[in-house]
Amino acid sequence: MSPDAKHTDFSAARIHEAVQQVLTAGVLPVIVQAGHPVLRQLAAPFDGQLSGAELGQLIDLMRSVMHKAPGVGLAAPQLGIPLRLAVLEDQFDVDPAVAAARGREPLPFFAMLNPSYRPTNGSTVAFYEGCLSVHGLQAAVNRPESVRLDFTAPDGTSQQREFTGWQARIVQHETDHVHGILYLDRAELRSISSNAEYSARWAQPDISLARKELGFLPGP
């Protein structure tokens, strides 16, 4: 958890109210942006605050919001709901050279409750990331290349899965969200670029050119 993430006592009633607000609004909710306190709070663990039907409806809604954005992951705090829940899916068509450089393979949809991860080896790799809650920016983030994810599935079963490459990056990014961490907390600050500059200059399969020109993660 980020040292700045706040421990907040989120009551079941507050969580249930927040969920009902988005489920009954009749429109897809807006993704909250950096500066909203819910993104900086340690979300409440899921422990039955929602019925099975409500949880299923919320997961379906989050998937729709993620697809519309579009993105490859969305955490409940990004909808203003302080709950440790996230959905993930990566089915985008990606240039083969980019996919090979980034270890990016399709990630079938799944939802995770109360996730935590740990690296499975000492290898790290840096690539540019963006976030649906940080409009307009991209930045390079050095992350473990492989992780083991522990989480609870929507059916209540405890699960453990291992991920590598881009899938591991998505898992870490979304798990961080429910612990009050934004990707910018882990970013190489000199790499931060507007979306326009990233697209024009740094959207290569790897970060080597950006690393050289912007002066981050210097080599030995």
Side-chain angles (χ1 to χ4, degrees):
M1 183 185 71
S2 165
D4 294 325
K6 304 301 182 184
H7 290 267
T8 305
D9 182 16
F10 296 118
S11 68
R14 177 181 171 183
I15 291 171
H16 190 266
E17 179 183 5
V19 170
Q20 285 302 311
Q21 285 179 350
V22 299
L23 291 181
T24 60
V27 295
L28 292 181
V30 174
I31 296 172
V32 301
Q33 295 299 299
H36 193 301
V38 73
L39 296 175
R40 290 313 199 173
Q41 295 161 343
L42 181 64
F46 180 79
D47 60 5
Q49 298 96 328
L50 306 175
S51 69
E54 289 170 327
L55 179 60
Q57 291 170 1
L58 177 58
I59 289 171
D60 288 344
L61 179 69
M62 290 173 64
R63 188 179 190 183
S64 295
V65 174
M66 175 180 65
H67 286 172
K68 181 183 178 182
V72 296
L74 186 75
Q78 293 180 274
L79 298 185
I81 300 169
L83 189 65
R84 293 184 206 174
L85 165 66
V87 297
L88 307 86
E89 184 177 20
D90 185 5
Q91 302 291 350
F92 288 98
D93 291 328
V94 180
D95 179 87
V98 173
R102 300 180 183 179
R104 185 168 179 175
E105 297 181 355
L107 177 63
F109 177 82
F110 77 101
M112 57 185 190
L113 294 156
N114 304 333
S116 64
Y117 65 82
R118 59 186 183 275
T120 57
N121 57 51
S123 298
T124 62
V125 62
F127 288 108
Y128 268 89
E129 292 183 26
C131 180
L132 298 178
S133 288
V134 186
H135 278 324
L137 295 179
Q138 304 271 334
V141 184
N142 195 34
R143 292 189 184 272
E145 189 171 21
S146 301
V147 297
R148 180 175 295 114
L149 175 71
D150 291 282
F151 67 102
T152 301
D155 65 4
T157 60
S158 296
Q159 298 193 16
Q160 185 178 89
R161 294 173 60 182
E162 294 192 5
F163 297 88
T164 61
W166 205 257
Q167 293 184 357
R169 185 168 296 270
I170 297 170
V171 163
Q172 292 171 76
H173 184 115
E174 297 308 324
T175 300
D176 283 353
H177 265 305
V178 302
H179 291 87
I181 300 169
L182 294 177
Y183 84 102
L184 290 175
D185 299 333
R186 304 189 186 280
E188 298 296 323
L189 296 183
R190 292 181 65 92
S191 75
I192 295 176
S193 302
S194 69
N195 285 348
E197 288 294 331
Y198 172 77
S199 296
R201 301 176 186 275
W202 316 127
Q204 291 84 24
D206 62 32
I207 65 165
S208 55
L209 181 60
R211 176 177 176 172
K212 176 183 177 182
E213 296 294 328
L214 298 179
F216 63 93
L217 288 174

